[in-house]
């Protein structure tokens, strides 16, 4: 019998009515003869609300206690869904991450999965139960409760799908699939039927939050096929899987806007070997991931150093930077909260020069200033003012022929 993993995001379980609808869908999959593992997020905006309560107390809540708090959100959703499935005469049992054997490292707030021991989950399936799992959480090697980073229920679903050899991992959400841009910002965006892992990974890392980037990375490594689709209807969504030949013609697969980063600038940093290593080692030691880095030309032995980092890490970052700037003797640092990162992603960029120039030209046409640039073989990203973000996304989306009503000639090789 085939095993299906279904993951339902916060908006798909936001109310008791929505949970009832999810229970109906789960029971249908069970009646079709599948073994079903369901992964749930916290209801609606629960995680944000819990975070807001903690931050009313302090800017830097104790990481262990914060994880205890946040994992409670998923526990409410999983048990309500368990109740709803049982009430339909279908046997189901809910499990926390710890009970389901999701073992992580000890990094509270952004723990990495180090091992999955799916014995209990497999036994429950064997006994004919639907398994309901709390997403976003695990048990650390030090027996503490951890969380997997924002959007981490996607990772729970993918990792469990890999561990139990599921045929597919279905990601149910509040949009019909992955679009060429966030359909809430670009109403003319098109749904994409198929994407390669590489393209989806770049889109997710660029801020298309429909999938957590780490979950896509995990899916690629373990060959888990993903089907991103709406929990509101039965239409097919977007498949994320290994590239096949037919996709090579697509030049640009999408654009994304990330407003969850800040830009940090260290002014007048001594320009000598070892300084950058010291700065970034101190930041990495706090578990903060840096994204773009730009160093200016040096004058009189000093230079400015800028980088971007997750907005949620800004309070932690401030502490590290106060310490490190005193140690290396720089003048000062600033944290600019008013930025956005605009990215264009497409496998065809590898073989098509001029994509970057066209993107910059589109932004120039709107008088939008570019503050930082970074590239990968299949992505170009620009840091711009956050106020310009949505207009910039729509402009670039249109320039590359991604809009629904336009002919898609210019988006193809
Ligand atoms: P869930 O709660 O189901 O995990 P998320 O809010 O994490 O849902 O992700 C779904 C949202 O991602 C959509 O509502 C949409 O606004 C946003 N999004 C951003 N970029 C894209 C994209 N390229 N395609 C589809 N949705 C996108
Ligand atoms: N509830 C968590 C979050 O909001 C995990 C998830 O939804 O995937 O980030
Ligand atoms: Mg999500």
């Amino acid at each position: 019998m085939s095993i299906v993993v279904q993951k339902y995001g916060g908006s798909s379980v936001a109310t008791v009515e929505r949970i009832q609808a999810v229970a109906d869908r789960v029971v249908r999959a069970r009646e079709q003869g599948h073994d079903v593992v369901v992964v749930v997020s916290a209801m609606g905006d629960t995680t944000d609300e819990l975070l807001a309560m903690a931050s009313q107390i302090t800017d830097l809540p104790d990481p262990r206690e914060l994880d205890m708090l946040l994992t409670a959100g998923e526990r409410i959703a999983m048990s309500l869904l368990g109740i709803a499935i049982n009430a339909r005469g279908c046997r189901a049992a809910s499990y926390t991450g710890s009970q389901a054997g999701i073992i992580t490292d000890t990094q509270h707030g952004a723990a990495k999965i180090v091992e999955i021991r799916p014995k209990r989950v497999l036994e429950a399936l064997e006994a004919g139960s639907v398994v309901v799992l709390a997403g976003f959480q695990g048990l650390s090697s030090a027996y503490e409760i951890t969380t997997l980073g924002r959007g981490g229920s996607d990772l729970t679903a993918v990792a469990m799908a890999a561990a139990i050899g599921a045929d597919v991992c279905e990601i149910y959400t509040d949009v019909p699939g992955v679009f060429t841009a966030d359909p809430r910002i670009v109403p003319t965006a098109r749904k994409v039927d198929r994407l390669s892992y590489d393209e989806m990974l770049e889109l997710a890392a660029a801020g298309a939050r429909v999938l957590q980037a780490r979950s896509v990375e995990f899916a690629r490594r373990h060959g888990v096929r993903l089907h991103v689709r709406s929990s509101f209807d039965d239409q097919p969504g977007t498949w994320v899987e290994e590239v096949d030949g037919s996709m090579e013609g697509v030049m640009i697969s999408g654009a994304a806007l990330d407003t969850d980063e800040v830009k940090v600038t260290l002014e007048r940093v001594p320009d000598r070997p070892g300084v950058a290593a010291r700065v970034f080692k101190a930041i990495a030691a706090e578990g903060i991931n840096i994204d773009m880095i730009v160093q200016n030309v040096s004058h009189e032995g000093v230079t400015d150093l800028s980088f971007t980092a997750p907005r949620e890490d800004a309070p932690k970052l401030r502490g590290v930077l106060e310490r490190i700037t005193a140690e290396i003797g720089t003048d000062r640092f600033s944290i600019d909260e008013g930025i956005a990162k605009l990215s264009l992603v497409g496998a065809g960029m590898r073989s098509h020069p001029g994509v970057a120039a066209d993107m910059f030209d589109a932004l120039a046409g709107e008088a939008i200033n570019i503050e930082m640039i970074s590239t990968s073989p299949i992505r170009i990203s620009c840091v711009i003012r956050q106020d310009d973000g949505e207009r910039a996304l729509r402009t670039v989306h249109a320039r590359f022929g991604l809009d629904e009503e336009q002919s898609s000639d210019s988006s193809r090789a």
Side-chain angles (χ1 to χ4, degrees):
M1 202 159 39
S2 70
I3 307 180
V4 175
V5 172
Q6 300 189 332
K7 179 259 169 176
Y8 292 89
S11 45
S12 304
V13 292
T15 61
V16 170
E17 289 75 49
R18 294 293 307 146
I19 288 178
Q20 302 265 36
V22 168
D24 288 337
R25 190 185 290 269
V26 170
V27 170
R28 248 184 289 142
R30 185 79 192 101
E31 284 169 357
Q32 284 162 8
H34 301 293
D35 279 340
V36 189
V37 174
V38 190
V39 175
V40 286
S41 293
M43 295 171 72
D45 296 327
T46 302
T47 307
D48 288 330
E49 288 159 11
L50 293 172
L51 274 170
M53 277 196 262
S55 66
Q56 278 174 37
I57 303 171
T58 166
D59 272 353
L60 282 171
D62 181 80
R64 177 189 184 277
E65 299 309 318
L66 193 59
D67 275 356
M68 280 300 207
L69 176 69
L70 297 186
T71 50
E74 268 67 13
R75 243 174 123 135
I76 294 170
M78 77 170 191
S79 43
L80 284 174
L81 183 59
I83 290 168
I85 298 171
N86 275 295
R88 282 160 175 70
C90 176
R91 199 142 30 99
S94 61
Y95 300 87
T96 62
S98 152
Q99 288 175 309
I102 296 176
I103 313 298
T104 73
D105 66 12
T106 55
Q107 186 76 50
H108 284 290
K112 293 201 173 51
I113 295 178
V114 292
E115 191 191 343
I116 293 196
R117 300 177 190 152
K119 187 165 170 280
R120 225 170 147 187
V121 169
L122 290 170
E123 280 170 3
L125 290 177
E126 186 71 22
S129 260
V130 167
V131 170
V132 183
L133 288 185
F136 176 57
Q137 53 181 271
L139 180 73
S140 79
S141 44
Y143 300 99
E144 296 288 2
I145 300 295
T146 50
T147 59
L148 308 176
R150 295 309 302 267
S153 298
D154 295 337
L155 181 59
T156 303
V158 171
M160 189 50 75
I164 61 178
D167 298 274
V168 59
C169 180
E170 297 183 325
I171 306 285
Y172 286 93
T173 185
D174 57 0
V175 285
V178 181
F179 282 65
T180 48
D182 188 337
R184 294 181 202 287
I185 304 175
V186 185
T188 48
R190 273 187 282 124
K191 195 186 88 189
V192 183
D193 294 332
R194 267 209 158 103
L195 277 169
S196 69
Y197 290 119
D198 287 352
E199 288 164 310
M200 188 64 234
L201 185 54
E202 291 281 8
L203 274 176
R209 71 171 195 284
V210 62
L211 280 173
Q212 188 209 31
R214 281 173 57 199
S215 74
V216 182
E217 214 174 333
F218 202 106
R220 176 173 66 177
R221 198 156 2 108
H222 296 270
V224 177
R225 294 171 71 225
L226 305 177
H227 187 188
V228 181
R229 54 195 304 196
S230 168
S231 66
F232 295 81
D233 61 41
D234 287 323
Q235 298 303 310
T238 301
W239 284 91
V240 180
E241 55 197 350
E242 207 50 64
V243 185
D244 65 26
S246 68
M247 286 175 15
E248 278 176 12
V250 179
M251 184 163 102
I252 303 296
S253 45
L257 186 68
D258 190 343
T259 52
D260 288 334
E261 292 193 345
V262 295
K263 180 171 101 178
V264 179
T265 302
L266 303 186
E267 290 173 36
R268 298 180 58 80
V269 178
D271 192 13
R272 57 175 142 62
V275 171
R278 255 171 89 183
V279 171
F280 292 113
K281 256 188 207 161
I283 294 168
E286 294 291 325
I288 301 170
N289 277 320
I290 298 303
D291 184 19
M292 295 183 180
I293 302 176
V294 172
Q295 183 175 325
N296 282 346
V297 177
S298 121
H299 290 290
E300 296 155 5
V302 291
T303 180
D304 289 351
L305 184 64
S306 293
F307 58 87
T308 61
R311 187 177 297 273
E312 63 180 3
D313 288 331
K316 235 189 326 182
L317 204 47
R318 207 174 283 281
V320 187
L321 291 174
E322 270 159 14
R323 208 178 61 227
I324 198 84
T325 45
E327 269 174 43
I328 59 178
T330 76
D331 282 3
R332 53 175 180 257
F333 70 88
S334 58
I335 299 186
D336 180 349
E337 311 235 351
I339 61 147
K341 183 178 71 179
L342 174 70
S343 304
L344 195 60
V345 172
M349 275 183 206
R350 281 198 186 95
S351 47
H352 289 77
V355 174
D358 277 351
M359 180 178 179
F360 303 157
D361 188 54
L363 293 175
E366 288 286 314
I368 293 169
N369 190 41
I370 301 171
E371 300 180 19
M372 291 168 105
I373 299 166
S374 82
T375 60
S376 88
I378 66 166
R379 177 187 46 79
I380 302 164
S381 301
C382 300
V383 167
I384 55 177
R385 284 292 95 201
Q386 199 170 318
D387 292 344
D388 294 331
E390 299 198 351
R391 187 164 52 98
L393 180 65
R394 286 189 283 266
T395 300
V396 166
H397 191 268
R399 166 67 73 104
F400 286 89
L402 298 170
D403 282 350
E404 181 85 83
E405 72 273 348
Q406 276 180 261
S407 115
S408 59
D409 284 357
S410 54
S411 69
R412 295 190 174 259

